[in-house]
Amino acid sequence: MGAPLEDARHLAQRYDRMRQEAEAQAIEVSKRQMKVRETPGNIDNVSKLESAEAKLEELKSNMVVLGKEAVAAMNAVEAQQQRLTLQRLIAMVESERTFHQRILQILDQLEGDMVSERQRIEASPNLVMENSMPPPPSYEEANGVFPPPKVDGTSETVEYFLAEVIHSYQAETDVELNLSVGDYVVVRKVSGNGWAEGECKGKAGWFPYEYIERRERVPASKIVQIF
C-alpha cells in the first residue's frame, strides 16, 4: 500500500522485461557464435558477435543493479507493513483497554448501588421492629378466650379505625396477618406492646402497629380489598 509497494511493482515489471530481453539477447549471441564457427575469419560476423555479447553483458549488469533496487523496495514494503501491523495492534489494545475500563466502571457503579440498597434495607424499620418487638398476643387473647384487661374496674374501650399499610409484613404465626404496602386495614384493637389487631382482605390477625398509618377515608377502589 502506498509509494513503497508501487515502487516495488514498477521494479518487478522492469526486471521482468529486462529478463525477457536478456534471454532474447542470449539466443542472439548463440546464433552469432554459430555463424562465426561456420565462417571462420569473417570479420563482420565476429564484430556482430562481440556487439551482441557486449549488449548481453550490459543487460546482465543492469539486471544486477535492478535486483538490488528491487530488494531495497521489498524491504521498504516489509517495513511499512510492520508499521501498519503495529499500529493496528496498538489500536486493538487501546480498544480492549477502553472496553475493560468501561466494564470496570459499570461494575463499580453496580457495587455502589448494591451497597446502598443493602444499607437501605438494613436501616428499614422492618428489621428494627422484628428484632426489638415482643411477640404478638397469645392465641387465647386474639380469639377472646380471656376477658379484656380491666382499667380502674372498667373494660378497655376499643375504637375501630381505618389505616393504610406503609410497610409490608410477612406473618410468622397463625395469629398474625400478612400485609402489603398500600393495603387498607380495619384496626379493631391496639395492644400496649406495639401490636395491633385488625382485618384485611377477609382475614384477621395481629401485625406491628408501626407498619400502618391512620386514614380518615379510603379510596373507593380499596374498599373491596378490605373485606
Side-chain angles (χ1 to χ4, degrees):
M1 186 176 65
L5 185 57
E6 289 299 322
D7 292 342
R9 285 200 185 103
H10 293 157
L11 288 171
Q13 292 172 358
R14 287 174 54 193
Y15 187 86
D16 188 58
R17 288 195 299 268
M18 191 174 293
R19 180 183 56 79
Q20 294 176 1
E21 188 177 354
E23 291 175 353
Q25 189 63 29
I27 296 174
E28 180 67 21
V29 169
S30 298
K31 292 179 179 179
R32 296 294 177 185
Q33 290 175 345
M34 187 179 296
K35 288 184 178 181
V36 169
R37 286 195 296 270
E38 291 175 352
T39 58
N42 190 325
I43 298 176
D44 184 56
N45 289 339
V46 173
S47 176
K48 290 181 179 180
L49 174 60
E50 292 175 352
S51 177
E53 290 176 342
K55 185 176 181 179
L56 179 59
E57 290 298 326
E58 181 182 0
L59 289 172
K60 290 180 179 180
S61 177
N62 291 339
M63 287 179 63
V64 173
V65 174
L66 192 60
K68 292 179 180 180
E69 292 179 0
V71 170
M74 291 306 299
N75 289 336
V77 171
E78 182 179 4
Q80 184 190 49
Q81 184 62 39
Q82 289 176 350
R83 287 195 302 271
L84 292 174
T85 302
L86 180 59
Q87 290 174 0
R88 292 192 184 99
L89 290 175
I90 292 175
M92 289 174 60
V93 172
E94 289 292 335
S95 178
E96 286 293 320
R97 183 171 65 177
T98 301
F99 171 76
H100 288 293
Q101 287 176 344
R102 177 57 181 160
I103 292 297
L104 183 60
Q105 291 176 355
I106 294 175
L107 291 177
D108 289 340
Q109 181 179 357
L110 181 60
E111 181 184 12
D113 294 342
M114 293 175 66
V115 171
S116 299
E117 181 66 15
R118 184 182 64 184
Q119 293 174 350
R120 186 190 68 79
I121 294 174
E122 291 176 350
S124 66
N126 295 4
L127 295 180
V128 176
M129 292 179 183
E130 289 175 2
N131 293 331
S132 61
M133 285 186 60
S138 64
Y139 179 84
E140 289 80 4
E141 182 180 355
N143 290 275
V145 176
F146 296 144
K150 302 290 184 177
V151 180
D152 295 333
T154 61
S155 299
E156 175 185 329
T157 60
V158 178
E159 180 184 359
Y160 283 48
F161 63 90
L162 294 173
E164 182 180 356
V165 178
I166 58 175
H167 299 293
S168 297
Y169 180 73
Q170 184 68 35
E172 297 182 357
T173 65
D174 293 338
V175 300
E176 297 179 27
L177 182 63
N178 290 321
L179 299 178
S180 299
V181 175
D183 288 346
Y184 278 79
V185 185
V186 176
V187 181
R188 299 185 295 202
K189 182 186 297 184
V190 179
S191 68
N193 63 353
W195 289 85
E197 192 273 336
E199 183 176 355
C200 178
K201 298 180 180 179
K203 296 183 179 180
W206 291 89
F207 49 86
Y209 180 72
E210 295 296 329
Y211 281 52
I212 61 173
E213 285 186 356
R214 187 165 182 161
R215 296 286 186 265
E216 295 301 327
R217 60 183 60 183
V218 182
S221 61
K222 297 289 185 178
I223 294 178
V224 177
Q225 296 181 4
I226 299 175
F227 303 101

